[in-house]
Amino acid sequence: MDVLNVAKHGNSVLLLAGLAAVVSMIISLLAIFMYWRQRSVIDKLRQELQRTVQVGRDRLETEVALRTVQLTELTHHLQTAREDERHRLARNLHDDLGALLTSAKLDAARIKSRLADRAPEALELLAHLVSTLNSGIALGRSIIEDLRPSALSNLGLVATLEILTREFAEISGVAVHCELEPVELEVSAELMVYRLVQEAITNITKYARAQNVWVRLATDNGQVEVSVRDDGIGFDTSVQPRSAYGLVGMRFRVEAEGGTLVLVSAPGQGTLIQVKLTPVHGRHDRRNNARPS
């Protein structure tokens, strides 16, 4: 009887142990299922988050590209309006102010011829007046040339840059080394190149403390290349320089003409501004078209 009870007790223990093992297995399976389910949910959330971030990034890149195009177009419009206003002002100065000063100079010459030797003091005053008028006429011509360089339309880009760099060298005492070759560009692009070189040497005068400047205009690998390099103090391109707005304006003006601008500089190693533009092939020389009939 005792043996039978012991056997029954043993069977009960084994049954409970089996049930416990089955329950433990079920719990383990449920835990594994919940883990994989949670992981699947997390993966889905991560994918959804990545998709949302990518959509936002694509939208931001599209918006940035659109704003860049709009800024480039706006810069081109403002630059065109600015040059048109300069042209109008230069024409008015040439026609109106130039005519007034020339007329005053002629009147002074007539008065001088009538006075002859009768009034030496008056003749001295007239001579001073004529000298002042000549200075005023020269100043007017200088202002007109700065507003709208006539050499650009009459002599071409190479000659205009030669004049610009020669005058810069004479005024500043900086040695300018030019390598200028005839290139084919649109009229607006030629004016942009002239303004870019003009602003570059102005910045060199203000900030670079350079001893030498190299200006290059040539055609390389099917593209027009313009560069202005100096051996001045340079600057750290990662830090916004004092002339940053001028450089930004340069870049937008170049991009408005379909070109690219590269700026290379480092403290103590000078500065290089390099522009590449697409030339216009088959365009007749403006100077040939401007020959008088």
Side-chain angles (χ1 to χ4, degrees):
M1 191 69 178
D2 292 335
V3 174
L4 183 61
N5 290 332
V6 171
K8 287 181 178 181
H9 180 71
N11 290 335
S12 298
V13 171
L14 290 174
L15 181 61
L16 290 173
L19 288 173
V22 170
V23 171
S24 177
M25 185 179 298
I26 292 173
I27 292 173
S28 298
L29 290 173
L30 286 173
I32 293 172
F33 173 76
M34 294 299 295
Y35 168 76
W36 283 107
R37 183 176 179 182
Q38 185 178 11
R39 183 173 179 179
S40 177
V41 171
I42 292 175
D43 289 341
K44 288 182 179 179
L45 289 174
R46 185 183 295 111
Q47 292 174 2
E48 186 65 27
L49 180 60
Q50 290 176 347
R51 191 180 302 110
T52 303
V53 171
Q54 186 62 41
V55 169
R57 185 180 301 160
D58 293 341
R59 185 181 297 116
L60 180 60
E61 289 177 354
T62 302
E63 187 70 19
V64 169
L66 178 61
R67 295 302 181 192
T68 302
V69 171
Q70 290 175 342
L71 283 174
T72 302
E73 292 177 349
L74 177 60
T75 301
H76 187 266
H77 170 73
L78 292 176
Q79 186 65 22
T80 301
R82 181 184 180 186
E83 292 297 339
D84 289 343
E85 183 63 20
R86 281 182 168 184
H87 181 63
R88 185 190 64 80
L89 182 57
R91 186 175 60 250
N92 290 341
L93 285 173
H94 179 272
D95 295 343
D96 299 335
L97 182 60
L100 288 173
L101 291 175
T102 302
S103 177
K105 182 179 176 181
L106 292 174
D107 289 341
R110 293 190 189 98
I111 295 173
K112 181 179 179 180
S113 64
R114 292 181 181 179
L115 289 176
D117 298 330
R118 288 177 292 181
E121 294 181 357
L123 289 176
E124 290 180 4
L125 291 174
L126 282 173
H128 179 70
L129 175 60
V130 171
S131 177
T132 303
L133 289 172
N134 286 334
S135 299
I137 292 172
L139 178 60
R141 287 174 179 171
S142 176
I143 294 173
I144 291 170
E145 283 299 311
D146 185 61
L147 289 171
R148 187 75 176 185
S150 60
L152 193 58
S153 56
N154 296 327
L155 302 176
L157 181 59
V158 171
T160 305
L161 292 180
E162 288 175 346
I163 295 171
L164 176 66
T165 52
R166 183 172 63 249
E167 291 178 349
F168 164 69
E170 292 174 354
I171 295 172
S172 65
V174 176
V176 181
H177 312 277
C178 292
E179 181 186 346
L180 305 174
E181 301 176 4
V183 296
E184 294 184 336
L185 289 172
E186 294 282 1
V187 175
S188 60
E190 287 188 350
L191 183 57
M192 181 275 295
V193 170
Y194 172 80
R195 293 299 185 199
L196 182 137
V197 176
Q198 186 181 44
E199 186 164 355
I201 61 178
T202 298
N203 288 340
I204 291 171
T205 303
K206 290 180 178 179
Y207 310 115
R209 301 204 292 270
Q211 299 298 319
N212 295 274
V213 173
W214 293 265
V215 180
R216 184 172 185 268
L217 173 67
T219 302
D220 288 335
N221 298 321
Q223 285 192 311
V224 174
E225 182 179 306
V226 186
S227 64
V228 180
R229 180 169 63 89
D230 67 74
D231 61 354
I233 60 175
F235 62 93
D236 186 354
T237 55
S238 64
V239 178
Q240 188 177 36
R242 287 171 292 179
S243 57
Y245 293 112
L247 293 173
V248 171
M250 283 186 189
R251 189 178 302 279
F252 275 113
R253 287 199 296 271
V254 171
E255 291 176 353
E257 295 296 337
T260 57
L261 183 145
V262 175
L263 173 66
V264 180
S265 186
Q269 298 184 20
T271 301
L272 167 66
I273 297 175
Q274 185 180 67
V275 172
K276 291 186 177 181
L277 297 162
T278 302
V280 178
H281 297 289
R283 181 172 60 85
H284 297 291
D285 194 322
R286 171 176 42 243
R287 286 166 291 176
N288 293 334
N289 294 337
R291 290 175 181 172
S293 56

